């Protein structure tokens, strides 16, 4: 039987939800790996709604679970219903929705709070020694919840202008975690905590390289599971 994997979304769209290409890449690689996937999202209001054509916020109100259902093709459950004992692993794609809806990193940085159901999900998988996969900005969730863990968001310097958010690595270190520098097509495995991370769109790179990097993360998660 294939591994049972929960995928947690944060909305739909890079600027206020889950990054669509990352979510899709994770699902493709999980499918290729023979995994049985169920998708979840918190049933909460988005912090904001961004017009993705203009890049500016609107006055709209949208629900994270309802918007995530777009990516899940309607087949999705409230994150509050996720039971870690029914799964072998959990994966969080990135996107600003992670930093806005799953936690308050976008506003508060390292002083952020984490959504209660996101926190309890991470804690449950960690306590059960089941792997957690995170990409793009979502490794900050692990950094906040598990002090001392190892994660990557790419590089800690803006190498060749490809890592414009490199200061995130410093914030992770300030939380008492170890940031591991990796290229976009690589992932890092924290074996002690069973946390697998890759930088994805934290790096300005061709889409196929981001796709491949997410593939390494998914493969490592399935190995650990």
């Amino acid at each position: 039987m294939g591994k049972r994997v929960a995928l947690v979304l944060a909305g739909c769209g890079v600027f206020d939800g889950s990054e669509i290409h990352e979510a899709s890449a994770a699902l493709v690689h999980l499918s290729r790996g023979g995994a049985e996937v169920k998708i979840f999202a918190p049933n909460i209001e988005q912090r904001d709604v961004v017009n993705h054509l203009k890049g500016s916020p609107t006055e709209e109100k949208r629900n994270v679970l309802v918007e995530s259902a777009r990516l899940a093709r309607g087949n999705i459950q409230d994150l509050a219903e996720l039971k870690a004992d029914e799964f072998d692993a959990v994966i969080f794609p990135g996107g600003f929705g992670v930093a806005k809806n799953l936690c308050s990193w976008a506003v508060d940085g390292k002083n952020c709070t984490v959504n209660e159901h996101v926190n309890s999900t991470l804690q449950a998988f960690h306590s059960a020694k089941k792997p957690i996969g995170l990409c793009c900005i979502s490794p900050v969730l692990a950094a906040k919840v598990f002090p001392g863990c190892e994660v990557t968001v790419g590089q800690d310097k803006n190498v060749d202008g490809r890592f414009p958010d490199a200061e995130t690595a410093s914030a992770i270190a300030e939380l008492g975690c170890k940031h591991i520098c990796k290229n976009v097509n690589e992932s890092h495995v924290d074996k002690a905590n069973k946390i697998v991370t890759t930088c994805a769109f934290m790096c300005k790179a061709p889409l196929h390289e981001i796709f491949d990097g997410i593939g390494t993360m998914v493969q490592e998660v399935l190995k650990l599971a």
Side-chain angles (χ1 to χ4, degrees):
M1 289 181 61
K3 302 298 183 182
R4 301 164 300 168
V5 180
L7 187 82
V8 180
L9 298 179
C12 182
V14 59
F15 298 129
D16 57 14
S18 289
E19 211 297 320
I20 294 170
H21 298 294
E22 292 179 10
S24 179
L27 287 166
V28 170
H29 287 295
L30 285 165
S31 176
R32 185 170 285 148
E36 177 188 340
V37 182
K38 290 190 177 179
I39 305 175
F40 298 83
N43 187 10
I44 57 174
E45 189 175 292
Q46 290 184 191
R47 178 175 288 273
D48 62 13
V49 177
V50 175
N51 179 323
H52 279 58
L53 181 61
K54 297 180 179 179
S56 57
T58 72
E59 296 300 315
E60 287 183 67
K61 303 293 184 184
R62 296 192 185 188
N63 178 280
V64 174
L65 178 59
V66 172
E67 291 304 296
S68 297
R70 294 173 179 271
L71 281 169
R73 297 172 61 86
N75 189 8
I76 194 168
Q77 294 173 259
D78 187 335
L79 183 60
E81 299 173 5
L82 195 162
K83 296 178 176 62
D85 60 2
E86 295 179 355
F87 295 91
D88 301 302
V90 64
I91 288 177
F92 289 76
F96 280 109
V98 171
K100 291 178 175 181
N101 305 325
L102 303 192
C103 70
S104 63
W105 187 278
V107 176
D108 303 318
K110 68 180 190 299
N111 299 314
C112 71
T113 56
V114 178
N115 171 274
E116 61 174 318
H117 295 302
V118 173
N119 183 69
S120 62
T121 295
L122 290 166
Q123 295 282 10
F125 278 85
H126 188 258
S127 296
K129 295 181 168 50
K130 294 179 178 181
I132 299 167
L134 309 116
C135 66
C136 194
I137 191 63
S138 64
V140 302
L141 296 172
K144 186 65 180 181
V145 176
F146 307 119
C149 72
E150 298 176 357
V151 298
T152 188
V153 289
Q155 300 291 324
D156 55 12
K157 295 181 177 60
N158 190 8
V159 181
D160 298 327
R162 298 175 76 224
F163 294 89
D165 301 305
E167 71 277 1
T168 304
S170 299
I172 287 169
E174 289 173 15
L175 285 169
C177 299
K178 185 174 183 180
H179 180 266
I180 309 297
C181 291
K182 289 286 183 176
N183 292 321
V184 67
N185 59 347
E186 300 176 313
S187 55
H188 176 70
V189 181
D190 177 347
K191 294 181 180 178
N193 290 293
K194 289 194 172 182
I195 296 171
V196 188
T197 51
T198 188
C199 69
F201 278 100
M202 294 292 275
C203 177
K204 290 185 175 180
L207 183 57
H208 70 277
E209 293 184 10
I210 292 165
F211 183 89
D212 291 346
I214 293 171
T216 68
M217 180 267 286
V218 170
Q219 289 166 17
E220 294 295 342
V221 165
L222 294 178
K223 284 181 192 174
L224 290 172

